[in-house]
Amino acid sequence: MGQVKEMKNVLVTGGAGFIGSNFVKYMLNKHLEYKIINVDALTYAGNLENLKEVADNVNYIFYKADIRDKEKIDEIFSIHGIDTVVNFAAESHVDRSIVEPEIFLTTNILGTQVLLDTAKKYWKVNPEDKYCKEYKLGVKYLQVSTDEVYGALGKTGMFVETMPLLPNSPYSASKASADMIVRAYHETFGMPVNITRCSNNYGLYQFPEKLIPLMINNCLKEKDLPVYGDGMQVRDWLHVSDHCSAIDTVLHKGAIGEVYNIGGNNEKANIEIVKLILKTLGKSEYLIKYVKDRPGHDRRYAIDNTKITTQLGWTAVYTFERGMKETIEWYLSNQDWIENIISGEYVKYYEKMYN
Ligand code: NAD
Ligand code: TYD
């Protein structure tokens, strides 16, 4: 008889967003014995259409709930015997954080604290004892963070996990704050945690406010492509499915209390990406429109992935060429998906931001 694997009840928050929905599908495919409990408030960025192919999977359960709602989160822990948390739920767009920072602080920081407190209550062997650092076997809280917490790089150098956090936008400051809270729960209460800090993701189901889907969508509609400043800001791009496999690796192999950077050594200037999209779709560079730069715009991000690759054996499998080709083709053949999510609210946002 084969060995029986332990059952995992994995709470995924923010699972109807871009990375979270890719992760839910990744986990249901990979770990057939796990239950995935997806909690999402379905803000403008959350879309259940992303998960329609797994909606009837017996190992998948969805709750429309806010991670700041203590009672609801407590109820979900108690019903499902949650033993693992992967927290994706967040306000995630830098431009929005510049015009409306408050929601970034409440969701990204206080929401994280609610999840940690609930996990502590259910997982600590003696929750009433403030000195107790003993937890039930096999539990883990994983905070999905970002390389943006390190701030901006000059022309050279890379982010390593030991660098100080120097966030520049309200978004990255809220993510850095959440990282600090997660760290504090590990240090003070012994909570078994990991933090992952990934570079920019691209791929299927990304909301068209972010660079790559926004440019693809505008290109398809022959609208201007708004490039901030000189377009020479550099991001280190990773395909979303490589991010999912990295998180899965950290969940299973990550040493308790450790931070892991995630990236695939793929630095590109924004203008290179815009030109690649134009070329792939056979459109003219006349569509490029240089617009006023984002305030506090970080010049360059680059991830040193030595720790996760050497200590945990993770590597990215997608080349940027293959990933971009598949992504552009997907947006081309799923224009209904974009039309369905571009609500009246998004149109208003777009006009406010770019006109
Ligand atoms: P996204 O904006 O597409 O999705 C966020 C999801 O969180 C949405 O489904 C939204 O409805 C949900 N949500 C927001 N507030 C909530 C709340 N209060 N309660 C419950 N659910 C709520 O974001 P994404 O790009 O998929 O990013 C997911 C996570 O990964 C974020 O934490 C982000 O900081 C991090 N991250 C993103 C990138 C990237 O390039 N997109 C890179 C590194 C890290
Ligand atoms: P974005 O996708 O918003 O991710 P982040 O700011 O978290 O890195 O932006 C990626 C890069 O593209 C960033 O340098 C800003 C730039 N950008 C533009 O030039 N024009 C745009 O319309 C957008 C949305 C982004």
Side-chain angles (χ1 to χ4, degrees), residues 13-21 39-47 50 65-68 87-93 103 106-108 111 143-148 171 175 196-202 205-207 209-210 237 243:
T13 69
F18 164 48
I19 309 173
S21 62
V39 168
D40 197 298
L42 298 181
T43 68
Y44 77 93
N47 179 6
N50 301 358
D66 195 305
I67 57 165
R68 294 166 293 183
N87 182 24
F88 291 95
E91 288 295 330
S92 68
H93 190 37
I103 181 91
T106 62
T107 284
N108 299 2
Q143 177 74 2
V144 180
S145 186
T146 163
D147 60 356
E148 304 192 22
Y171 162 67
K175 294 295 290 183
T196 57
R197 297 192 181 130
C198 190
S199 58
N200 284 60
N201 283 215
Y202 71 99
Y205 299 99
Q206 187 167 29
F207 196 87
E209 65 186 353
K210 304 278 168 66
W237 294 93
H243 189 185

Side-chain angles (χ1 to χ4, degrees), residues 92-95 146 148 171 200 206 209-215 225-229 231 233-235 237 270 274 291 294 297-299 301 349-350 354:
S92 68
H93 190 37
V94 173
D95 290 320
T146 163
E148 304 192 22
Y171 162 67
N200 284 60
Q206 187 167 29
E209 65 186 353
K210 304 278 168 66
L211 179 76
I212 290 178
L214 186 144
M215 295 299 171
L225 308 186
V227 173
Y228 297 160
Q233 304 82 3
V234 170
R235 298 292 181 264
W237 294 93
N270 295 337
V274 171
V291 298
R294 173 190 278 174
H297 198 169
D298 288 336
R299 193 68 182 165
Y301 302 145
Y349 161 82
Y350 192 88
Y354 294 99

Side-chain angles (χ1 to χ4, degrees), residues 91 101 104-105 108-109 149 167 169-179:
E91 288 295 330
F104 284 74
L105 273 58
N108 299 2
I109 307 171
V149 298
S169 72
Y171 162 67
S172 54
S174 70
K175 294 295 290 183
S177 308
D179 285 13

Side-chain angles (χ1 to χ4, degrees), residues 23 28 46 126 132 139 143 181 197 204 212 233 297 336 342:
F23 184 73
L28 287 169
N126 185 353
C132 171
V139 299
Q143 177 74 2
I181 303 290
R197 297 192 181 130
L204 321 188
I212 290 178
Q233 304 82 3
H297 198 169
D336 286 358
I342 297 182

Side-chain angles (χ1 to χ4, degrees), residues 156-186:
T156 58
M158 291 179 130
F159 296 133
V160 288
E161 289 85 350
T162 47
M163 275 181 172
L165 306 191
L166 293 169
N168 292 316
S169 72
Y171 162 67
S172 54
S174 70
K175 294 295 290 183
S177 308
D179 285 13
M180 294 301 193
I181 303 290
V182 174
R183 180 192 143 82
Y185 274 60
H186 173 66

